[in-house]
Amino acid sequence: MTAATDRPVLREQSPTDARPTVLYVAGSGRSGSTALAQVLERELAAGHAGEVRYLWDRGIGEDQLCQCGQPFSRCPWWSGVLSRAHGEALDGAAGTLARVRPAVDRIRRVPSLLRQARAGQPTAAVAAYADVVVPVYAALAAHGARDEAVIDSSKDPSYLFALAATGRIDLRVLHLVRDSRAVAHSWTRRKRRPEIHWEEQYMRTLPPWRSAVLWTEYNTVLETARGLGVPVLRVRYEDFATDPDATVGRVATSLGLARRQLGTAPAGHSFSGNPIRFDAEPVRVRLDEAWRTALAADQRRRVTALTAPLLASYGYLGRTRGGR
């Protein structure tokens, strides 16, 4: 017998239902998504909300710091967003999300989510999930009234496919890739997390082989995102760091996003992500190739071997240039 959460649900949209435009930055961890999102926010008519996937656990649950320096619960901007999204029903929405998320937002659910997105028939679990997460994006879009899109740098592939399966978001996908050896080196670095304001805590570290496996898994799944029927642009972090203006131009043109008008400053309330979002000065993009000397030779060889097929496809091996 089919479980209730697996039954397709056809949801009638009223003329007033908003389809918020979301620029989703997807990729593996430590690929430079926070820096890229900050630059895009500065140049495009799009507000960077941070990693929206983690609002529920790290924001509502743990009360981590917003980019503005306030605990999540005391940030007027986010309080306004959540009030607009769910009002007094926020606790109930959080409970619903906790209940249905295991049936929706998991890597193993991606094939099912892809089928649902193509057919336009979300299951009951995805429909319930949508009733929680979509109003948050609609509220973010309304709160950033001068912006045409919301930038979500959550990166996670399963969350991207879950958003697509809802059928209620105008998704534009930026698939960010970075050399797997640079990513592996970044995962070994110890960096304090200022958002954890009640104690001293550091970003998680991973051994190079483990980060290489995750890099391959995430990027392999993301290669199937074109099957969702939404605009997808792949960008290499190295190309972005070398010429940020050219990358911004490609994103604007390929994903149909307008440039920001002069004098329209971004809100500065991104939540979760790399600690650089707390820096007072505007982000300075630079090409970091410390991995070439800092990552031990045997580790470089191992990571290269584990990720070689995609490294070659993305133009990191041989002469072929990546990105499309």
Side-chain angles (χ1 to χ4, degrees):
M1 184 175 178
T2 304
T5 54
D6 293 330
R7 295 176 189 150
V9 170
L10 296 178
R11 177 184 182 274
E12 282 193 29
Q13 283 194 323
S14 73
T16 58
D17 277 342
R19 273 175 53 87
T21 300
V22 176
L23 172 58
Y24 190 90
V25 182
S28 69
R30 308 297 178 92
S31 291
S33 61
T34 300
L36 173 61
Q38 286 187 325
V39 170
L40 292 176
E41 178 182 50
R42 197 165 64 213
E43 299 294 330
L44 301 180
H48 182 209
E51 298 181 352
V52 181
R53 183 177 189 254
Y54 301 107
L55 289 182
W56 305 92
D57 300 330
R58 300 176 184 177
I60 296 172
E62 298 180 1
D63 208 23
Q64 294 182 14
L65 294 184
C66 170
Q67 178 189 354
C68 70
Q70 289 286 335
F72 188 80
S73 63
R74 297 207 294 271
C75 171
W77 196 84
W78 277 109
S79 294
V81 167
L82 294 180
S83 177
R84 184 187 291 262
H86 291 292
E88 295 181 358
L90 182 61
D91 289 344
T96 297
L97 187 71
R99 176 174 57 82
V100 301
R101 185 156 52 183
V104 179
D105 186 4
R106 296 289 185 272
I107 284 288
R108 65 180 179 273
R109 308 290 185 191
V110 164
S112 172
L113 294 168
L114 179 57
R115 289 193 297 270
Q116 293 173 59
R118 284 173 167 172
Q121 293 186 336
T123 61
V126 171
Y129 189 85
D131 286 341
V132 176
V133 301
V134 175
V136 173
Y137 288 103
L140 283 165
H143 236 54
R146 293 174 299 183
D147 296 326
E148 297 180 2
V150 175
I151 302 173
D152 182 351
S153 53
S154 293
K155 296 184 294 297
D156 193 271
S158 65
Y159 185 61
L160 165 63
F161 279 77
L163 294 180
T166 70
R168 293 167 55 187
I169 293 176
D170 176 12
L171 270 174
R172 322 285 174 89
V173 181
L174 196 164
H175 178 191
L176 177 64
V177 299
R178 187 182 183 187
D179 193 308
S180 59
R181 285 121 356 149
V183 169
H185 174 55
S186 182
W187 273 109
T188 65
R189 288 174 166 172
R190 205 163 171 265
K191 195 167 187 178
R192 189 173 178 276
R193 299 178 65 194
E195 66 270 29
I196 310 298
H197 54 95
W198 57 91
E199 66 181 20
E200 187 172 283
Q201 196 176 115
Y202 291 81
M203 295 178 72
R204 185 167 64 127
T205 59
L206 291 175
W209 71 267
R210 178 60 180 155
S211 71
V213 171
L214 285 175
W215 184 92
T216 298
E217 178 185 44
Y218 275 36
N219 286 301
T220 298
V221 172
L222 288 169
E223 285 301 313
T224 68
R226 294 177 188 276
L228 293 170
V230 301
V232 179
L233 173 68
R234 188 196 303 141
V235 169
R236 299 198 318 177
Y237 178 79
E238 291 78 8
D239 296 334
F240 162 63
T242 302
D243 192 346
D245 290 339
T247 296
V248 171
R250 285 185 64 209
V251 173
T253 300
S254 299
L255 300 182
L257 296 169
R259 292 281 188 156
R260 183 176 292 282
Q261 295 180 359
L262 293 177
T264 56
H269 291 282
S270 68
F271 180 79
S272 194
N274 193 290
I276 63 171
R277 69 189 187 281
F278 292 106
D279 293 349
E281 297 297 320
V283 63
R284 296 180 62 186
V285 182
R286 62 186 180 86
L287 186 62
D288 182 1
E289 294 197 310
W291 65 270
R292 295 185 182 277
T293 55
L295 194 62
D298 62 326
Q299 298 285 12
R300 291 201 306 273
R301 287 192 293 269
R302 190 175 189 185
V303 172
T304 301
L306 287 169
T307 60
L310 281 178
L311 271 182
S313 175
Y314 296 154
Y316 292 111
L317 301 179
R319 295 182 179 179
T320 305
R321 290 193 60 79
R324 69 169 185 261

